[in-house]
Amino acid sequence: GQQLNQSPQSMFIQEGEDVSMNCTSSSIFNTWLWYKQDPGEGPVLLIALYKAGELTSNGRLTAQFGITRKDSFLNISASIPSDVGIYFCAGLRDDKIIFGKGTRLHILP
Amino acid sequence: DSGVTQTPKHLITATGQRVTLRCSPRSGDLSVYWYQQSLDQGLQFLIQYYNGEERAKGNILERFSAQQFPDLHSELNLSSLELGDSALYFCASSVVSGRTEAFFGQGTRLTVV
């Protein structure tokens, strides 16, 4: 079945550091989405990417849709405590939204 | 607030029982997706409906079923419940099937005891 490989699985960083995570797949996707999930809550959409090569920002977040359409990355600059949570990538294809397993971000005091 | 409403928020039930989870999509959204998330796990796609019809199926057990009604709300029915069915169940909605971003509800936390 279609799978998304999301890495890293978890990250421990200092407040103020930049963060980078990515998703890769063996399949092409038409749209890439990035979500953040806080404990016990539903995922919240952060950024949507619709075109290969597209680079989109949302505040301190920047995401890119890979040229091959098989990958995407998310960067967070100058991390703050409220950035803690699980970040999921998702690809849209054939009426399905397939999710990566998530990157758990921890911020050290 | 995403505009997607799920009820109930919490549900505790015994093994062997049957429950129904409800989802009201955002106004104007025709597509509803259901996902299961076990503790500290990713989001497993269960099933998707578009404008009342089943559009895609994922790893949904035979004991589970879903439907989307004419008013576009959806229900996920879980029967013969087992301890391993305890999880968060999310629905998401989007405007056009598989083509636009999806917005999630707050989830239903199911605990089977």
Side-chain angles (χ1 to χ4, degrees):
Chain A
Q2 298 168 9
Q3 286 190 325
L4 292 183
N5 301 309
Q6 186 171 351
S7 65
Q9 191 172 4
S10 64
M11 302 182 74
F12 291 81
I13 63 167
Q14 299 281 347
E15 184 177 344
E17 283 187 20
D18 296 344
V19 172
S20 186
M21 60 190 78
N22 68 80
C23 265
T24 61
S25 174
S26 56
S27 303
I28 290 173
F29 287 96
N30 299 320
T31 300
W32 283 93
L33 307 172
W34 285 92
Y35 290 86
K36 180 185 180 229
Q37 185 180 28
D38 291 326
E41 303 290 324
V44 174
L45 182 67
L46 299 173
I47 290 180
L49 301 158
Y50 300 104
K51 209 163 100 172
E54 179 181 354
L55 185 71
T56 297
S57 292
N58 178 8
R60 294 178 296 106
L61 277 60
T62 302
Q64 185 159 30
F65 192 146
I67 287 291
T68 65
R69 296 169 62 194
K70 293 182 180 181
D71 62 334
S72 177
F73 72 74
L74 175 71
N75 288 339
I76 305 173
S77 63
S79 58
I80 60 177
S82 62
D83 291 335
V84 166
I86 305 176
Y87 291 80
F88 290 101
C89 63
L92 273 69
R93 180 171 177 250
D94 296 337
D95 294 323
K96 289 183 185 175
I97 305 176
I98 306 298
F99 280 82
K101 291 184 187 279
T103 294
R104 190 178 292 271
L105 181 62
H106 304 267
I107 297 183
L108 304 169
Chain B
D1 182 6
S2 67
V4 179
T5 304
Q6 286 188 252
T7 56
K9 195 164 172 58
H10 301 277
L11 198 50
I12 301 175
T13 190
T15 54
Q17 294 297 305
R18 172 190 166 94
V19 297
T20 297
L21 313 183
R22 183 187 168 104
C23 171
S24 294
R26 293 187 316 158
S27 176
D29 284 359
L30 300 178
S31 196
V32 169
Y33 306 80
W34 286 98
Y35 291 85
Q36 179 193 56
Q37 186 178 40
S38 300
L39 188 63
D40 290 337
Q41 298 295 312
L43 291 151
Q44 293 296 319
F45 171 67
L46 295 177
I47 198 164
Q48 184 217 350
Y49 281 84
Y50 176 73
N51 204 20
E53 292 188 3
E54 182 183 305
R55 183 60 67 99
K57 221 169 192 176
N59 300 321
I60 188 167
L61 299 172
E62 283 190 14
R63 301 183 285 110
F64 296 1
S65 65
Q67 54 184 327
Q68 187 179 27
F69 294 87
D71 67 353
L72 301 177
H73 90 271
S74 178
E75 293 180 354
L76 179 67
N77 301 297
L78 315 176
S79 62
S80 302
L81 285 167
E82 301 174 0
L83 295 178
D85 297 327
S86 297
L88 270 166
Y89 291 84
F90 289 104
C91 84
S93 72
S94 68
V95 173
V96 177
S97 173
R99 286 181 172 47
T100 65
E101 59 270 26
F103 295 87
F104 280 78
Q106 291 296 295
T108 293
R109 181 175 292 280
L110 174 66
T111 303
V112 182
V113 298

